[in-house]
Amino acid sequence: MILQTVLKDVAPELTSGILAVVFLSCTLFVITTYFSLTQAVFSVGASVFENGHVHKLFTFPFYHKTFAQLLLNIAVLVLLCGSLEKGVGTVRFLFLFLLLSTSTGLCYAFLDLLQSDTTQSHVQGLVPIALAFVAVTTMHTRMAKGFLFGVSVPTMALPWVFLIIATVLIPHSVLPCNIIAILVGWMYGKGWFSFLDMSEARACVLDKMTPFRLLKSIRGVVYVPASTDERRKTLLPQINPTPGSYPVQAYAPVSSISTTEHTPKMYEGWPNSVNALSSPVPPLAPHGHGSAHSFGPGHGHSPEHSFGHSCSHGHGHSHDGHGHSHDGHGHSHDGHGHSHDGHSHGHDGHGHSHDQL
C-alpha cells in the first residue's frame, strides 16, 4: 500500500494527448518492423525539398529505428511534456505538437539541403519535439530557477541541459536538429507564431468533436479540457472532507458558566467592587453601636464611618492622644437614617452625630 502511494506521487500522470502520440509511435514502429521499411521513408532530411517528400514533416516524430530508441523517446515525452498539456489542454497540445514538429522538420530539411551529401543525416524520434516543448514552457514560466536532480539550474538553461543529456544517452539523436527545435520553441514562446496559433474558443469547439470525445472516454487517462474553467475543475478538484475527518472544538453554553461564583472576593487586600455591590445590606439593628473615628484634636471635626443605623449609644475614639471619651448619651437627629458619611462634633462629652442620607 505504501509502495503504491509513493509510485503514485512520483510517477507523472498520463494525459490523453501524450497517450495519442505514444499510440501513433508504437503503431508506426510495428508497421515499419513488420514490412521492413527503411528510415528513408519516414525520417526527415533534404529529400523534403529534393524529392518533394512533404509527408516526412508529419511522420518523422513517430518513426523510431529501434525498440530501445522508442522506449527512451516515450520516457522523455512523458517526463518533459505533461506539464505543457495540463497548461493548454489536450486539443491545443496536439496542435502545438504538429506545429512545432513541422516547423522543426522544415528548418532542418533546409539546413540539410545546404550541406554536402556525405554529412547528411536523417532525423526521427520524439526528442526534438520534447525539447521544443521544454523551451516553450521556460518562456511562459515565472520561475527564475528550477531543480534538476537536486541541483538548482536557471530556468532558461534547462533546454540546453536536456539537450546535452539527450544527445549523450539517446541513440540516433541529431544535435543540429535538437538545437533547431529549442530555437523554434523559443520563437513560439515569444509570439512569432501567433498568427498560426489556435484560440481557446476554437479549441473548445474541437473539444466536442468525435476524435476528442473518444479520448475523453478512455479510463485511467486524464483528458485536459480546452476551457480554462473546466481545466481548473479537472486538475484542481474541490476537496469535500468526510464528516469527522477534521477535529471540531466544542464550546460550553453561556448559561452554564457562572461568573459570580468564580469572581474573587478580595483583590490586593481590598474588597472586589462586584462583590461589594452585589452583597446584601446588613440588617437594621434597633439599638446598634456605631463607631466614630476622629482624626485631629479631641474636640475637633471628625469623619465618621458608620455601617448600619446609630440610635442611642455612640462611642467616640480619638487618635491624637487627648483621651478616650465615651458618650453617655448620644442624640441622633435621624432615628433611622442610613449614614454613608458621618461627622461627629464633641462638645463637653456630648457627641452629636449628623447622618447624611
Side-chain angles (χ1 to χ4, degrees):
M1 183 65 181
I2 298 177
L3 181 61
Q4 293 179 357
T5 305
V6 172
L7 291 177
K8 185 178 179 181
D9 295 337
V10 175
E13 196 172 18
L14 186 61
T15 54
S16 300
I18 293 179
L19 179 64
V21 174
V22 171
F23 176 75
L24 292 177
S25 301
C26 294
T27 303
L28 186 60
F29 178 77
V30 172
I31 293 174
T32 55
T33 304
Y34 183 78
F35 293 100
S36 301
L37 299 176
T38 61
Q39 64 178 359
V41 179
F42 300 104
S43 59
V44 72
S47 60
V48 173
F49 295 101
E50 294 176 347
N51 302 323
H53 296 164
V54 182
H55 68 279
K56 293 182 179 180
L57 298 175
F58 302 95
T59 58
F60 84 92
F62 307 104
Y63 174 75
H64 299 84
K65 192 175 182 179
T66 61
F67 184 70
Q69 182 187 10
L70 174 64
L71 293 181
L72 291 175
N73 279 259
I74 291 176
V76 170
L77 182 71
V78 172
L79 293 175
L80 300 182
C81 302
S83 60
L84 181 63
E85 182 177 357
K86 293 178 181 179
V88 299
T90 300
V91 176
R92 297 183 65 187
F93 172 79
L94 295 176
F95 173 78
L96 287 178
F97 185 89
L98 294 177
L99 178 62
L100 297 180
S101 62
T102 53
S103 301
T104 302
L106 186 63
C107 293
Y108 177 75
F110 181 75
L111 179 63
D112 195 24
L113 182 64
L114 299 178
Q115 297 176 354
S116 61
D117 296 337
T118 56
T119 58
Q120 287 182 354
S121 58
H122 296 277
V123 175
Q124 67 271 349
L126 298 170
V127 172
I129 315 305
L131 294 176
F133 281 158
V134 173
V136 173
T137 304
T138 55
M139 292 299 295
H140 290 280
T141 185
R142 297 181 180 179
M143 296 178 59
K145 292 184 179 181
F147 289 93
L148 182 64
F149 302 112
V151 180
S152 178
V153 180
T155 304
M156 301 303 295
L158 285 177
W160 305 107
V161 175
F162 288 123
L163 170 66
I164 298 174
I165 296 174
T167 305
V168 173
L169 299 180
I170 300 177
H172 307 289
S173 295
V174 181
L175 182 61
C177 183
N178 294 338
I179 295 176
I180 291 175
I182 295 176
L183 296 177
V184 169
W186 275 358
M187 287 188 293
Y188 176 82
K190 287 182 176 294
W192 291 14
F193 297 102
S194 58
F195 61 96
L196 296 175
D197 199 3
M198 179 183 292
S199 62
E200 183 176 337
R202 181 61 179 171
C204 293
V205 174
L206 296 176
D207 207 7
K208 301 177 182 179
M209 293 187 176
T210 302
F212 302 103
R213 292 174 62 183
L214 294 177
L215 291 177
K216 290 181 181 180
S217 61
I218 300 176
R219 296 182 179 180
V221 181
V222 179
Y223 182 86
V224 185
S227 175
T228 304
D229 296 335
E230 295 181 2
R231 188 161 59 245
R232 290 175 180 175
K233 293 179 181 179
T234 302
L235 300 178
L236 302 174
Q238 184 179 3
I239 301 175
N240 296 321
T242 57
S245 59
Y246 290 93
V248 179
Q249 185 177 3
Y251 295 92
V254 180
S255 59
S256 63
I257 301 177
S258 178
T259 58
T260 58
E261 296 178 358
H262 302 283
T263 306
K265 296 182 178 181
M266 299 293 293
Y267 179 75
E268 296 184 355
W270 296 88
N272 196 323
S273 60
V274 177
N275 292 327
L277 294 176
S278 60
S279 59
V281 179
L284 299 176
H287 298 283
H289 298 276
S291 61
H293 300 276
S294 62
F295 299 91
H299 300 280
H301 185 76
S302 64
E304 177 189 10
H305 300 277
S306 62
F307 299 93
H309 298 270
S310 62
C311 296
S312 60
H313 300 284
H315 298 279
H317 187 72
S318 173
H319 289 274
D320 60 350
H322 290 281
H324 188 78
S325 63
H326 297 277
D327 298 331
H329 300 279
H331 297 278
S332 174
H333 293 278
D334 295 328
H336 297 281
H338 186 75
S339 64
H340 295 279
D341 294 322
H343 299 278
S344 63
H345 298 272
H347 299 282
D348 299 330
H350 295 280
H352 300 275
S353 63
H354 300 275
D355 296 331
Q356 295 182 355
L357 293 177

